[in-house]
Amino acid sequence: MFKNVRLPFSIVVITLLLASCMKDTPNQTFNCWYLVDSGYITGNPICNKTRAEMYETYGGQYFFVNINEARFCWKLIDGLDTIYRRNVTQSMVDSLFTPFAIQSAQVQCNSFCKWKVLFRSKNNVNGAYGPDVTRIITFTGASADTCSTLTPGRVVTILSTLDTLYTATYLQEMD
């Protein structure tokens, strides 16, 4: 007789325990968030905080996005300036890139790449290097095919004259 009672009783107890563990505070949804600094998602997620707690803690200092918010690649246009960005949410575009928001479009992530490049010149006569210049270079359109051939540390000769060698060293791919 007790065998027949134990099984239903165990099921009821387990169901009640699971229900109490899954109970959520009314009007408070706890999530994980990424901080956004200068338009870039940074660091590890911060979890078990409500949106209100995130605003209270970081509201004026950082923007933040839910870790479940979809990220895309974007082409952002401001007058004559065009910026290509990866790993950007719709809320980031709407809030952080306001000047660009009217002229923004999602693009395929493989349609561009951005690299930090070190440009150098070397005097072939005395071996001295000229001033180094570092720039961020964006490859789009037909030149986006170049993206698959670039790796960190790759050195490309841009121009070689009798007295000077001009090179570009690809340092790292950027978001």
Side-chain angles (χ1 to χ4, degrees), residues 8 13 16 24 48 67 90 102-103 114 123 141 165 174-175:
V13 169
L16 288 172
D24 202 356
N48 300 322
I67 63 166
Q90 180 69 52
I102 294 173
Q103 298 180 33
K114 290 173 30 177
N123 186 305
L165 176 67
M174 309 297 288
D175 266 344

Side-chain angles (χ1 to χ4, degrees), residues 20-131:
S20 68
C21 290
M22 293 170 41
K23 188 190 286 184
D24 202 356
T25 309
N27 298 325
Q28 288 191 351
T29 304
F30 293 96
N31 285 307
C32 292
W33 310 89
Y34 281 113
L35 294 179
V36 178
D37 187 18
S38 301
Y40 291 91
I41 294 174
T42 61
N44 295 321
I46 298 167
C47 293
N48 300 322
K49 287 191 178 276
T50 63
R51 180 176 289 281
E53 290 171 328
M54 289 299 290
Y55 273 114
E56 184 179 306
T57 307
Y58 302 104
Q61 188 177 8
Y62 295 98
F63 184 76
F64 53 90
V65 294
N66 188 295
I67 63 166
N68 296 320
E69 189 173 349
R71 299 182 201 170
F72 304 99
C73 293
W74 293 87
K75 177 181 180 180
L76 306 164
I77 303 170
D78 177 26
L80 298 177
D81 294 329
T82 301
I83 299 171
Y84 288 85
R85 290 284 312 277
R86 297 179 191 278
N87 203 27
V88 176
T89 66
Q90 180 69 52
S91 65
M92 289 168 65
V93 169
D94 294 342
S95 299
L96 301 176
F97 301 111
T98 304
F100 304 104
I102 294 173
Q103 298 180 33
S104 63
Q106 289 181 19
V107 295
Q108 294 294 321
C109 291
N110 64 354
S111 68
F112 71 95
C113 65
K114 290 173 30 177
W115 278 86
K116 183 183 226 180
V117 182
L118 172 67
F119 292 94
R120 301 185 90 184
S121 62
K122 179 182 176 188
N123 186 305
N124 291 333
V125 177
N126 63 15
Y129 285 93

